[in-house]
Amino acid sequence: MAHHLLEGKKGIIFGALDEKSIAWKTAQKCVAEGAEIVLTNAPIALRMGAINQLAEECNAPVIPADVTSPEDIQNLFDKSLEHFGGKFDFILHSIGMSLNVRKGKHYTEANYDFMHKTLDISAISLHRVLQAALQKDALNEWGSVVALSYIAAQRVFPDYNEMADAKSLLESIARSFGYHLGKQKKVRVNTISQSPTITTAGSGIKGFDGFYNYADKMSPLGNASSDECADYCVTLFSDYTRMVTMQNLFHDGGFSFTGMNEEIIRSLSNGE
Ligand code: NAI
């Protein structure tokens, strides 16, 4: 049920690969709430994915951009400013990729060329996007930028591998750049730390089913779905959260603040 929360707002959505993607759901919800959007993804993902279907549904142009390329990001901002006929209001950074995970390298045996690339795609890209937004003065006052994170930034989940380091850096960049964008442009920057979610990036993590089920059992409300994450993104793009910035916001059914769960303890005491 839509509430016109984003009526008159415009934004760029990074990272819609297929209909499971958090960005895909967010794009749909933003449009349902009255926003106009531009969709973007890496050229290779555009070839592999189904984004044209989403573009048609959302009446949105698709502008290719590899987030590791400053030229692509500049071009994306120029074309988006042209498309919208001026500044816009929000950006969703929903991007993650680990080369060491993909190549099956254990955390302790990381290849450093891969690690650089992982940090570049999954974290430094947020800096690159925010820098372009600032330099091009692309965002309206009270604009909002959201990036997706995971609790492995704070606590150890061994199989999350180097993505834990990438998420720590991502959250730090949101905080640090959030300060400058707040001071200079009255723009806010936050990360959402989302529950494990069944998507292409999520399922790439070793033992993902275990992660997913454990978190679901531990969280008093259960895992947050991608649809619910999209709803949360909408609120953060709306005018109802204008004073929230530089935060890492847990959207995880209470997982992050739960120390113990009776069912799990009982099953351990029963030797299950
Ligand atoms: P997804 O696989 O649908 O989305 C990841 C996106 O990153 C894809 O669209 C992919 O094409 C894009 N991408 C990768 N390399 C790129 C590059 N060089 N340039 C531009 N785009 C590039 O998976 P999902 O789960 O929707 O991921 C979105 C975000 O949510 C990621 O930051 C992920 O780490 C985060 N997240 C996911 C969780 C999960 O369990 N699925 C849990 C917590 C956070």
Side-chain angles (χ1 to χ4, degrees), residues 15-17 21-22 41-42 45 65-67 94-97 121 148-150 160 163 167 194-197 199-202 208:
L17 179 67
S21 301
I22 294 167
N41 210 324
D66 180 328
V67 284
S94 186
I95 299 163
M97 231 278 276
I121 295 173
L148 267 302
S149 193
Y150 182 59
Y160 204 65
M163 277 304 283
K167 292 304 190 193
Q194 163 69 6
S195 294
T197 314
T199 62
T200 305
F208 178 79

Side-chain angles (χ1 to χ4, degrees), residues 90-107:
F90 64 88
I91 298 175
L92 177 72
H93 177 289
S94 186
I95 299 163
M97 231 278 276
S98 162
L99 273 86
N100 278 300
V101 167
R102 192 175 264 195
K103 307 278 183 187
K105 291 261 181 204
H106 191 268
Y107 182 73

Side-chain angles (χ1 to χ4, degrees), residues 153-165:
Q154 286 81 27
R155 297 211 232 138
V156 174
F157 291 78
D159 287 337
Y160 204 65
N161 206 314
E162 65 183 0
M163 277 304 283
D165 303 326

Side-chain angles (χ1 to χ4, degrees), residues 45-161:
L46 294 182
R47 282 197 293 277
M48 284 165 22
I51 203 166
N52 288 336
Q53 186 191 320
L54 179 67
E56 207 170 302
E57 181 187 324
C58 294
N59 195 22
V62 181
I63 303 173
D66 180 328
V67 284
T68 63
S69 158
E71 297 76 33
D72 281 12
I73 297 298
Q74 301 287 322
N75 178 59
L76 169 67
F77 273 77
D78 289 341
K79 293 244 167 75
S80 300
L81 285 163
E82 202 180 301
H83 170 75
F84 290 133
K87 295 189 193 192
F88 43 95
D89 307 285
F90 64 88
I91 298 175
L92 177 72
H93 177 289
S94 186
I95 299 163
M97 231 278 276
S98 162
L99 273 86
N100 278 300
V101 167
R102 192 175 264 195
K103 307 278 183 187
K105 291 261 181 204
H106 191 268
Y107 182 73
T108 56
E109 282 160 17
N111 169 304
Y112 295 114
D113 290 335
F114 293 165
M115 191 182 260
H116 278 137
K117 191 90 184 149
T118 299
L119 296 178
D120 197 10
I121 295 173
S122 307
I124 297 168
S125 61
L126 178 63
H127 196 287
R128 199 173 283 117
V129 165
L130 295 173
Q131 189 177 84
L134 182 60
Q135 286 174 351
K136 293 192 181 286
D137 194 17
L139 290 170
N140 285 317
E141 273 198 2
W142 304 109
S144 171
V145 181
V146 170
L148 267 302
S149 193
Y150 182 59
I151 194 174
Q154 286 81 27
R155 297 211 232 138
V156 174
F157 291 78
D159 287 337
Y160 204 65
N161 206 314

